[in-house]
Amino acid sequence: MSLPALVEPAAELSIDEVRRYSRHLIIPDVGMTGQKRLKNAKVLVIGAGGLGSPALLYLAAAGVGTLGIAEFDTVDESNLQRQVIHGVSDIDKPKGLSAKESIAEINPYVTVNLHTERLDNDNVFDVFRGYDLIVDGTDNFATRYMVNDAAYFLKIPYVWGSIYRFDGQASVFWPHAELEDGTSAEAPCYRCLYPEPPPPGMVPSCAEGGVLGVLCASIGSIQVNEAIKLLTGIGDPLVGKLMIYDALEMEYRKLRVRKDPNCALCGDNPTVTGLIDYDAFCGAISDEAADAAVGSTISVVQLEHMLKERSEGARDFVLVDVREPNEYEINKIPGSVLIPKGDFLNGSALEQLPADKQIVMHCKTGVRSAETLAIVKGAGYADAVHVGGGVVAWVNQIDPSQPSY
């Protein structure tokens, strides 16, 4: 699919810029005109994390003139395994500022705009306006749907990427794309590929399931590749196509993604005509889990008190860790037993629970344990509870000697 260049070329390149970008300039498909388009381009990268790190580094190195960084978080030690734009000296520093400083070292000719507020319905249009292209490095479904919808309403192309463990995906969503002859490209949006989010708790985040660090570079570089093609009008971009990468098998697959005439956003009879409540649409936890957690959630301080009483023989209960075995090896709450969430989903966990003791469950942050709490309560354990904040809260508030992840 041949698409016209997204950006007009800048007036000129300086002598220093010609020297810097010489390896681009001698590529016939890029040349002076293509490099001038990159210089004139304004690209917003959402997130300076796993995908945002390589995307920002290579967009800056390529000579994109203006980079926006939408990032509200700070650098944590656990980020450094994959978020290569940050270093040890950046720990506890705002990620946006850390990324801006790294970009200045790579290419001083790039202007960086920081957007340090969390993206939401109130500010997303204001942040997006003025940019030619969105590169998305987010890791949650609510933000992805919001980004997709906002980009659609503003008619801005959206370069999307997703990573989990050893698997990655990338595509370009731009329903407003037109071919060289001015006709519609009939391109899909993110909702055409994923009309509905997965059920709450069904798909773990990278923080829960992990991600191979180098996978971020693989998918992030594909996103930059697509951005450069769109900005300069070269090649065949991933509009209407989904790239799937399996790092373990070293296999790439490319699938066709068609525009859905029944799409709620870009279809023939749209039902999404403005920004919606994305947290409610995606749901952090299921309705059943939310109902089960009401009045049955304890804090880590309460748990510490309960554990003390148990050690003194004043009460008895079973503390169940519903994480995966590899997570349990990293850190744990003393006195807990491991029964992974999957065992609750297939029913085998119920056989391991005593009928005469209270069941107390926890996970990393409280999401998975809320889901298992609903199952346990449904099985008749009316006094079962779960620990809000999970192991993260335990390490932060009770036992900082243990590592976090």
Side-chain angles (χ1 to χ4, degrees):
M1 181 185 296
S2 178
L3 298 175
L6 196 59
V7 179
E8 291 298 317
E12 62 181 4
L13 298 178
S14 68
I15 294 176
D16 288 340
E17 287 173 321
V18 169
R19 284 197 294 263
R20 173 179 289 268
Y21 307 126
S22 62
R23 298 304 186 273
H24 273 178
L25 301 180
I26 59 177
I27 301 174
D29 289 346
V30 180
M32 287 289 288
T33 300
Q35 194 62 49
K36 288 178 181 178
R37 293 187 195 276
L38 293 177
K39 179 178 180 178
N40 211 27
K42 298 178 180 179
V43 175
L44 175 66
V45 178
I46 304 175
L51 291 175
S53 288
L56 286 164
L57 291 172
Y58 274 104
L59 287 167
V64 171
T66 300
L67 286 175
I69 305 174
E71 178 60 81
F72 64 89
D73 202 2
T74 57
V75 179
D76 182 78
E77 186 177 13
S78 65
N79 300 150
L80 303 184
Q81 162 257 7
R82 65 201 177 281
Q83 299 180 18
V84 293
I85 203 167
H86 312 296
V88 172
S89 63
D90 297 315
I91 291 175
D92 294 329
K93 183 183 294 184
K95 284 186 181 179
L97 177 59
S98 170
K100 181 177 182 178
E101 293 172 350
S102 296
I103 289 170
E105 286 293 313
I106 292 170
N107 192 344
Y109 299 108
V110 176
T111 298
V112 177
N113 300 325
L114 294 183
H115 305 278
T116 56
E117 65 274 25
R118 182 191 294 266
L119 282 180
D120 57 30
N121 287 12
D122 295 329
N123 62 26
V124 65
F125 285 141
D126 290 335
V127 173
F128 281 17
R129 283 191 182 97
Y131 288 101
D132 304 302
L133 184 72
I134 307 294
V135 174
D136 184 18
T138 58
D139 63 354
N140 68 87
F141 290 100
T143 305
R144 287 172 186 163
Y145 280 100
M146 180 183 66
V147 170
N148 174 76
D149 295 358
Y152 173 79
F153 291 128
L154 294 176
K155 301 182 179 181
I156 303 174
Y158 163 39
V159 181
W160 167 79
S162 175
I163 51 176
Y164 178 67
R165 291 186 175 168
F166 298 97
D167 301 317
Q169 299 180 1
S171 187
V172 175
F173 300 112
W174 191 14
H176 299 287
E178 294 183 350
L179 302 175
E180 291 280 4
D181 61 7
T183 60
S184 173
E186 295 296 320
C189 75
Y190 180 76
R191 287 179 180 268
C192 295
L193 178 62
Y194 296 114
E196 299 286 341
M202 184 63 67
V203 179
S205 67
C206 289
E208 293 177 341
V211 61
L212 185 69
V214 72
L215 180 67
C216 302
S218 300
I219 301 302
S221 64
I222 289 175
Q223 290 180 279
V224 174
N225 187 64
E226 295 307 300
I228 291 174
K229 287 155 62 178
L230 290 166
L231 295 169
T232 59
I234 62 175
D236 183 11
L238 287 175
V239 175
K241 293 180 282 289
L242 174 67
M243 180 67 74
I244 301 174
Y245 174 51
D246 181 341
L248 279 182
E249 299 298 328
M250 190 49 65
E251 179 179 79
Y252 285 93
R253 290 184 294 146
K254 190 162 61 174
L255 305 179
R256 178 76 180 272
V257 180
R258 298 183 183 276
K259 181 182 178 69
D260 182 2
N262 298 314
C263 177
L265 180 71
C266 68
D268 298 335
N269 298 291
T271 57
V272 177
T273 57
L275 301 180
I276 65 173
D277 186 337
Y278 295 96
D279 288 331
F281 177 62
C282 295
I285 59 176
S286 67
D287 293 340
E288 294 80 6
D291 292 340
V294 174
S296 298
T297 302
I298 64 172
S299 70
V300 291
V301 174
Q302 290 173 293
L303 175 62
E304 182 184 35
H305 182 68
M306 290 172 63
L307 288 169
K308 182 179 179 182
E309 289 183 330
R310 188 175 72 171
S311 68
E312 295 172 348
R315 68 183 302 170
D316 199 8
F317 62 91
V318 178
L319 178 60
V320 180
D321 189 329
V322 304
R323 297 176 299 161
E324 296 301 308
N326 54 313
E327 295 178 274
Y328 193 71
E329 292 179 1
I330 298 172
N331 56 23
K332 59 179 69 71
I333 298 177
S336 61
V337 295
L338 177 67
I339 308 178
K341 177 187 173 184
D343 291 352
F344 287 90
L345 295 177
N346 64 32
S348 63
L350 299 177
E351 302 173 357
Q352 305 175 53
L353 301 180
D356 58 344
K357 295 180 182 180
Q358 183 185 24
I359 307 302
V360 179
M361 290 175 291
H362 76 83
C363 61
K364 180 179 180 179
T365 61
V367 174
R368 284 173 283 178
S369 59
E371 299 290 345
T372 57
L373 178 65
I375 296 172
V376 169
K377 280 184 170 289
Y381 293 85
D383 63 346
V385 297
H386 87 121
V387 182
V391 173
V392 170
W394 180 268
V395 171
N396 289 339
Q397 299 179 41
I398 307 299
D399 187 7
S401 66
Q402 292 200 63
S404 60
Y405 70 100

